[in-house]
């Protein structure tokens, strides 16, 4: 079973250069809620981009980069499968793909 622990992203869509981090391991279940336009889909897009190199919605990868900063998009997800822990980092401008297992 995959257990997601943390999702971090910056310069992703409307999110600026300040990192946004979601602690997904604090409780047994995580609920993301908010009004329209508050960023719920952005969280899902960041997670799927980090894991699969494409956002959940039909958005081209160059459009994911924050329009103000135009560089430095970086996403990171930490998760575990059994006794193994993984960190995946993916970004653009500059292009980044890193995968770590057990530190």
């Amino acid at each position: 079973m995959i257990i997601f622990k943390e999702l971090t992203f910056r310069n992703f869509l409307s999110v600026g250069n300040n990192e946004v981090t979601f602690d997904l391991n604090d409780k047994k279940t995580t609920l993301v809620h908010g009004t329209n336009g508050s960023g719920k889909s952005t969280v899902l897009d960041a997670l799927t981009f980090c894991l699969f190199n494409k956002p959940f919605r039909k958005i081209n990868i160059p459009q994911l980069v924050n329009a103000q900063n135009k560089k430095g998009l970086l996403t990171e997800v930490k998760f575990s499968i059994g006794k193994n822990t993984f960190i995946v980092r993916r970004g653009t401008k500059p292009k980044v793909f890193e995968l770590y297992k057990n530190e």
Side-chain angles (χ1 to χ4, degrees):
M1 178 193 319
I2 297 174
I3 299 174
F4 290 99
K5 298 178 182 257
E6 191 174 272
L7 172 65
T8 302
F9 52 93
R10 71 171 184 229
N11 288 321
F12 190 89
L13 293 172
S14 62
V15 176
N17 199 31
N18 295 327
E19 287 188 348
V20 174
T21 300
F22 287 87
D23 182 2
L24 303 171
N25 199 33
D26 189 36
K27 304 286 184 202
K28 199 170 190 175
T29 304
T30 301
L31 173 68
V32 179
H33 68 92
T35 59
N36 290 345
S38 63
K40 300 177 301 293
S41 295
T42 300
V43 173
L44 185 58
D45 285 329
L47 178 63
T48 56
F49 171 73
C50 190
L51 293 174
F52 307 112
N53 197 33
K54 63 184 222 179
F56 183 75
R57 297 178 286 176
K58 290 186 179 186
I59 302 172
N60 295 326
I61 290 176
Q63 294 175 310
L64 295 176
V65 180
N66 179 273
Q68 296 290 322
N69 298 322
K70 300 180 182 170
K71 63 180 179 178
L73 182 153
L74 185 63
T75 59
E76 178 179 283
V77 65
K78 297 176 184 177
F79 61 93
S80 64
I81 301 174
K83 294 181 181 179
N84 295 309
T85 59
F86 298 88
I87 298 174
V88 178
R89 284 191 193 112
R90 189 181 305 268
T92 62
K93 293 190 177 186
K95 199 163 190 78
V96 175
F97 179 67
E98 300 172 350
L99 175 62
Y100 300 95
K101 179 180 176 185
N102 297 329
E103 304 293 328

